[in-house]
Amino acid sequence: MARQKSLSTTAISPNDLASRTLILDNGAHTIKAGFSSHLSSTPISTTACHVIPNCIARSTRDRRTYIGPELTTCADFGDLAYRRPVEKGYVVNWEGEKAIWERGFLANAANAANNDESGLGCDPAETNLILTEAPNAPISLQRNADEMVFEEFNFGAYYRTIAPALNAYAPSPFPSTTASPAGIPLECMLLIDAGHSHTTITPLYHGRPLHPAIRRLEIGGKTLTNRLKDLISRTFDVHREDHLVEEIKEDVCYVSPSFTRDLERTWKGGRYDGREVDSSVVVDYVLPDYEHIKRGFYRPHDTDVMNLRNRALGIGTETGRREHVVTLGNERFTVPELLFTPSDIGMRQAGLCGTVLQSLDALPEGLRQAYLANVVVVGGTSLLPGFVERLESELRAAVDEATVIRVARAESPVKNVWMGGARLAADEAALRAVMITRQEWAENGEGWVRRRFVGKKGR
Amino acid sequence: MATGPLRFRTPHIEELPIAQSRQSAGFAWVAVSTAHDDPAKNWGTTNRKRARASLGGQTEQQKEALSARVQRETERKIKELNSDNSRDVVIDIAKKPGSSTGGAFKAGKTTGTKKILASGKTFAHYLDDEEAEIARTGRRDGDADAPAAAQRASKTPLARRKPRADSSASHSPAPSAGPMAPPPIPRLQTNDSSVAPIPLDGLDDDDDEEEDSEDPLPRMPTAAEMEALLNAPPLTYNQVRSAPPPAGLPPPRRFCDTCGYWGRVRCMKCGAMTCSVVLEDVRLSGSRKVFVRWQALGAYSALAYHDFTGSIWTIVNMRITKYVWTQYVQEEPTETVFPHNEDRRHDRALPEGLSPG
């Protein structure tokens, strides 16, 4: 395999970097994995990024355990019990994570067939690794990660970073910003990562995070899914159906620009002032039964009660199948409202806009305008319709009129961190500056390695 | 000797006669068991909360105890919402078929990794360990000169802390050597404004002396300040948590437990909000699944409504309506479950003449 000559100006020890880099965005919900090489000159596209569910699921109906990528082969998602090795954004259970990584992309005799299909097989000793984690990890977890990567998986070189930092290397979502070549980070970016476990706000300067200003709001996609489970369970018990409620949330929930107005539209009225419910908001969601209906879908609300009963019996539906329907009215927008008003469930944290302001308060006054003009939103939860508009309007209301505010969502919010990592890995100079090889780790120890990852130089 | 019944319930305390006791003016503790003992304040309710409210209100201590309980409940609910594994699932990772090295692979290659793979710690353990370590010594993350030991590990998010004296930890212990700096750093020396996409002019010229009363631009930080910011150590997990919103904003919004609209009426017994009488009935009836009715229930819910409207006619009306509904209208049980009422269903006694379902 061709290797680059080591450049004398960099501080990397004589061990060379491998030609391929595996970029692993290790999220709590999914892993985004893919290769990038600083030798090839092909432009990086998101098709090289594979999304692997980061969970171990056990189905009591099938009596099978699905680990990681095997979940795509599952036919019956009913009553699927999940177990996630990543807790609150950090890998806690390495046993599970190792099993998922092995099935996902580590070359393995037993999984050779799988890997060839997805194109993700690799030999760790000949691959560099870029691994992401959530900000503010406890030190022992960082230590564990380093040790596992080097000792257990035997990667050749490795860079561990917080996930928001890689976004600076991805192309900017603002149309007015000129595109920068791979490897050069954007200058100023206030990154809002609305992820599965929580939402983090990280100001970045030239791709490096400003640590005193990082803030975390403990509402994420997981909280929203659990809240939706509680609300739906008022009529139909779905506490054990994680997958189904996640699908419902992704299909049906949206962020309302005006919460009170939408709430009025979905109220049936009291005893003496009954109202017509606005059927543009209320929908009927047909639940999948994994035999005839593989995937749930929704349609406008059918106010006729008799139809409900008929459909459950199979009368009047196409192909005579039995359709069980759940009506979703204000759950559609009260659930995502939690992101902006956590006090609705009693959580004593400021909403998303308030947390952004807290983060900006920790920065010098002069930087406020710079960061407010470059707010980038990534993360799966940001795919909710209306999220960006609502955030922008709340920021606009909270901040001085003269300030310019630009809020944009990355083109692919789920894969954006990976894109950034891939572009970083495509530029050799940037890559060499951050990578730590096994030899360096063995020589200098884990404390030094950890400091290097944070950005401190020197002993 | 009693001066009257006490305002709060106490266990029955009896003064035992001692040989030398004198007949002196004083007081004696008298046990008050129910509101029946005090006809002046007796509304005929068996409801403890109403009785408490009507018998002169609570002391500060009791109010605090109540709100602490409520707070604990909400915190528990939030923790449940944020829990990762929805139920206690024990999933064994199946042995990979055909793995050549079998056992050795599974356990980890070195002692360190074996320990990590076998450890069953959860995130909460790691967090507590870290907090304990910070409390004991300075932060062990390679900041060789730890912050002053006087700074205790605190769970208060940063935004809520009172400002402390600057600790030495905000500056990197080692100077950044030139050739080792990653590419982004040299750009600090260049003009901040030259590549910025922001339409602000003349940033470099902005000084403290320039007092433009119309549009004073805040001072951009110097390169040294930016350097200090960038080199500041990462914060701990608890410091980074978002702080509560500033006090003075409206209180948290309450919603109806049944339908999700604004909560307008509050149940006296359990504190659940409802938006309307219709749904209050639905809530009380326990979800249309098991049909249990008792008149006392009807009575207090009517009273709750009474607070809202203050009209006796309404009470009577409601009672009769409820009674009629109880006797003659039944709904078919469906699969619905109201988790709210589930655990309390056992508390109810059936009055004579009515059978469940």
Side-chain angles (χ1 to χ4, degrees), chain B:
Chain B
M1 287 195 286
T3 48
L6 283 180
R7 291 168 166 214
F8 32 83
R9 268 184 266 158
T10 55
H12 183 66
I13 301 179
E14 203 177 346
E15 198 181 4
L16 297 174
I18 321 172
Q20 281 109 11
S21 68
R22 295 174 268 123
Q23 282 290 333
S24 58
F27 64 94
W29 295 96
V30 172
V32 178
S33 53
T34 63
H36 288 307
D37 293 2
D38 183 6
K41 303 250 172 81
N42 183 18
W43 283 45
T45 65
T46 46
N47 187 330
R48 286 181 298 176
K49 274 196 187 175
R50 294 229 94 210
R52 194 169 56 212
S54 62
L55 289 179
Q58 300 169 297
T59 59
E60 272 307 309
Q61 205 179 21
Q62 285 172 322
K63 278 194 192 126
E64 247 180 56
L66 186 65
S67 72
R69 185 156 47 89
V70 163
Q71 220 171 359
R72 253 180 287 132
E73 261 307 303
T74 34
E75 269 178 34
R76 187 187 62 84
K77 280 202 199 119
I78 290 170
K79 216 196 289 213
E80 220 177 86
L81 277 180
N82 263 336
S83 71
D84 278 289
N85 305 315
S86 50
R87 359 192 232 287
D88 286 329
V89 190
V90 176
I91 302 182
D92 291 325
I93 298 164
K95 297 206 186 315
K96 290 197 310 281
S99 71
S100 52
T101 36
F105 242 131
K106 195 116 173 55
K109 297 197 185 129
T110 65
T111 45
T113 49
K114 279 200 189 69
K115 242 193 300 179
I116 297 174
L117 283 172
S119 96
K121 282 171 131 185
T122 63
F123 179 69
H125 294 145
Y126 284 107
L127 200 58
D128 290 341
D129 285 347
E130 172 150 304
E131 290 296 319
E133 188 147 348
I134 295 179
R136 238 190 26 214
T137 57
R139 176 115 187 253
R140 296 283 207 93
D141 102 305
D143 283 348
D145 27 356
Q151 218 175 28
R152 224 172 32 130
S154 146
K155 288 208 171 170
T156 327
L158 272 186
R160 276 197 84 191
R161 291 204 195 154
K162 310 218 176 12
R164 290 172 182 271
D166 272 340
S167 69
S168 60
S170 54
H171 299 285
S172 146
S176 54
M180 290 174 73
I185 289 298
R187 296 185 65 173
L188 268 177
Q189 325 302 350
T190 66
N191 264 341
D192 278 348
S193 60
S194 57
V195 288
I198 322 147
L200 284 177
D201 296 322
L203 284 171
D204 285 332
D205 302 329
D206 227 15
D207 270 332
D208 282 331
E209 295 114 33
E210 181 175 311
E211 291 296 335
D212 194 357
S213 56
E214 287 177 0
D215 196 13
L217 291 174
R219 191 180 61 83
M220 290 291 279
T222 62
E225 286 178 13
M226 286 307 294
E227 190 68 35
L229 258 184
L230 284 167
N231 284 326
L235 307 172
T236 66
Y237 187 79
N238 286 325
Q239 284 171 329
V240 172
R241 190 176 291 137
S242 167
L249 289 180
R253 318 189 280 202
R254 313 299 302 258
F255 298 98
C256 168
D257 283 345
T258 315
C259 73
Y261 188 66
W262 301 115
R264 306 195 291 189
V265 189
R266 192 190 200 110
C267 167
M268 295 294 301
K269 201 163 189 178
C270 58
M273 307 283 290
T274 331
C275 63
S276 63
V277 178
V278 179
L279 290 179
E280 172 75 0
D281 291 350
V282 167
R283 184 182 77 86
L284 292 173
S285 74
S287 85
R288 304 190 290 267
K289 183 175 182 178
V290 173
F291 201 77
V292 175
R293 265 314 197 176
W294 43 311
Q295 289 157 338
L297 201 58
Y300 89 74
S301 71
L303 276 173
Y305 194 71
H306 167 59
D307 281 338
F308 193 64
T309 62
S311 144
I312 298 200
W313 177 85
T314 320
I315 297 177
V316 169
N317 197 12
M318 270 194 59
R319 263 216 188 133
I320 290 181
T321 323
K322 276 192 191 305
Y323 185 76
V324 167
W325 192 30
T326 306
Q327 285 290 65
Y328 299 109
V329 176
Q330 289 203 14
E331 292 196 40
E332 279 160 51
T334 59
E335 258 205 58
T336 54
V337 175
F338 274 67
H340 166 71
N341 280 320
E342 212 170 12
D343 42 342
R344 288 178 47 236
R345 210 174 291 128
H346 313 294
D347 298 341
R348 301 188 187 165
L350 290 176
E352 306 155 3
L354 282 180
S355 58

Side-chain angles (χ1 to χ4, degrees), chain A residues 324-341:
Chain A
H324 294 269
V325 163
V326 165
T327 308
L328 299 163
N330 56 23
E331 293 89 354
R332 285 184 76 184
F333 50 86
T334 43
V335 162
E337 183 69 23
L338 279 187
L339 280 164
F340 296 95
T341 324

